[in-house]
Amino acid sequence: MTNSEVRTPRPELQALASKTLQAVGASSAEAELVAASLIDADAKGIHSHGLLRLPLYVESVEAGGIVPQAPLKWVRSAGATAVLDAGSGFGQVGMREALKKARQLVSESGVAVVAVKNSTHYGAGAYWTDQLARDGLIALLVSTTGATVAPYGSAEQLIGTNPLSVSFPTGDRPVTADLATSAGAFGKIVAAAGAGDQIPEGWAVDANGEPTTDAATAVQGALIPFGGHKGSAIAVMVELLAGAGGGGKFAHETVDIWTDRSSQIGTGNLLIVIDPVFVHGTEAPISRASEFRDELRQLRPATGVERVLAPGDPEAIKASSNVDTVGLPQHVDEAIRATASRVGVTI
């Protein structure tokens, strides 16, 4: 079964999500930010990181896992580096502060490394790295998650889906890769389970380590890394970068809010920013990136492929059809409206 799409004016979704978050204690500013980040993901067709998460956030706030209006504290600043304690607040709020600090540091040194510890889910990584790339900065962002992935050769969960986002400036829309290091994002599997859909082969195993295409069974089992042993190695390195480097809990030390809404999951993020013009003293890196992207798009398509796209193009194309109204899977629309109603919000 595949749910139908429900289209809603974007301002209505923004108001619904924002007021729902404010109803459980979020300030208007942080509620607007969180809502905007989730709707941006839905507009790009990334429903795994969109308003699907709103009921989860609300329940986690109610249970104490996410702390609204959490105090943010810069616990260290040295050279072009800084560390932020996000106080178990909304991950989007901590990441907004991390971007501000990174912009300051990179203007002084040409590079910036900002770690955010004691955080929570920040939405889709591209929402943050694209902001920096639109201002001419190269940005790389990694994050820890709960343990959902069995490393290559194992039938046991140890690492997370460990998202990795990289955006490179081109003078207009950045070239952006935003991906989970698992074969499929955990949110996509949760979304498929909610819709009653199957997942592709090679995404997950059941509790006994046997391959499965049943989304509900996969949630109880384990995801597997993309790309076999090579993808598994990248996932492990992201675990180290965000967990050890970012100061977060490792996945196997984390009780995810998908499992326990009251868990303060201690997510770690590591943001690395480079100003290519500062490094080279010329705009050439950006113009060369633009030329390379255009070369990529002009390649002859393989059989069965309409045209060759650069990383980030599919999401940009999808977003262009969701400017005024945004389409949500029916089960997501129903879930967010039920959550809003439960906390006393009507739009």
Side-chain angles (χ1 to χ4, degrees):
M1 176 189 73
T2 300
N3 277 226
S4 59
E5 182 183 73
V6 178
R7 298 199 66 83
T8 303
R10 195 165 186 151
E12 180 182 324
L13 286 179
Q14 179 72 27
L16 179 68
S18 177
K19 290 181 182 296
T20 298
L21 291 166
Q22 290 178 63
V24 292
S27 70
S28 59
E30 64 184 356
E32 290 290 335
L33 172 65
V34 173
S37 76
L38 298 181
I39 293 168
D40 182 79
D42 279 316
K44 293 175 179 175
I46 312 170
H47 299 305
S48 59
H49 288 62
L51 289 170
L52 166 77
R53 305 265 175 165
L54 183 65
L56 176 68
Y57 285 7
V58 169
E59 292 166 13
S60 184
V61 169
E62 292 172 325
I66 296 176
V67 179
Q69 305 188 55
L72 302 178
K73 182 180 180 181
W74 289 102
V75 296
R76 180 169 171 78
S77 183
T81 71
V83 181
L84 175 68
D85 186 328
S88 292
F90 290 104
Q92 290 88 342
V93 176
M95 191 50 55
R96 178 179 59 189
E97 294 306 305
L99 260 65
K100 290 180 183 177
K101 176 66 77 170
R103 290 180 190 279
Q104 172 201 328
L105 294 174
V106 80
S107 70
E108 298 167 356
S109 304
V111 295
V113 179
V114 180
V116 181
K117 65 179 185 177
N118 198 20
S119 188
T120 60
H121 185 258
Y122 56 48
Y127 185 78
W128 308 106
T129 57
D130 274 356
Q131 292 182 45
L132 294 165
R134 284 194 290 269
D135 288 338
L137 302 171
I138 302 167
L140 181 150
L141 176 62
V142 292
S143 177
T144 60
T145 69
T148 53
V149 178
Y152 182 76
S154 170
E156 221 177 323
Q157 297 175 349
L158 178 71
I159 59 178
T161 54
N162 294 355
L164 165 66
S165 179
V166 183
S167 295
F168 203 104
T170 64
D172 46 67
R173 192 192 64 74
V175 175
T176 301
D178 185 9
L179 62 149
T181 51
S182 54
F186 185 70
K188 288 186 177 180
I189 294 178
V190 171
D197 290 339
Q198 297 287 296
I199 58 174
E201 292 183 5
W203 275 26
V205 294
D206 64 18
N208 297 316
E210 295 295 328
T212 183
T213 58
D214 181 76
T217 300
V219 170
Q220 302 302 318
L223 311 189
I224 57 178
F226 79 93
H229 66 283
K230 294 181 180 180
S232 185
I234 293 172
V236 168
M237 296 312 297
V238 171
E239 185 88 21
L240 293 174
L241 284 168
K249 293 179 183 178
F250 288 125
H252 73 279
E253 300 170 331
T254 302
V255 177
D256 201 291
I257 56 173
W258 287 108
T259 302
D260 180 355
R261 305 294 194 263
S262 68
S263 175
Q264 294 195 354
I265 58 178
T267 299
N269 314 134
L270 190 67
L271 174 65
I272 300 172
V273 183
I274 303 167
D275 183 346
V277 176
F278 190 109
V279 173
H280 292 277
T282 170
E283 296 277 348
I286 295 176
S287 60
R288 282 172 52 78
S290 178
E291 291 165 4
F292 180 83
R293 178 202 57 196
D294 294 343
E295 286 287 336
L296 190 159
R297 288 173 172 167
Q298 292 166 16
L299 291 172
R300 184 175 68 255
T303 302
V305 176
E306 182 179 348
R307 57 176 168 146
V308 178
L309 299 174
D313 282 352
E315 292 80 7
I317 293 168
K318 183 71 175 178
S320 68
S321 66
N322 285 287
V323 175
D324 298 319
T325 63
V326 177
L328 298 178
Q330 182 181 342
H331 73 279
V332 173
D333 184 80
E334 292 172 352
I336 63 173
R337 293 181 186 279
T339 296
S341 177
R342 181 176 65 77
V343 299
V345 173
T346 303
I347 299 294

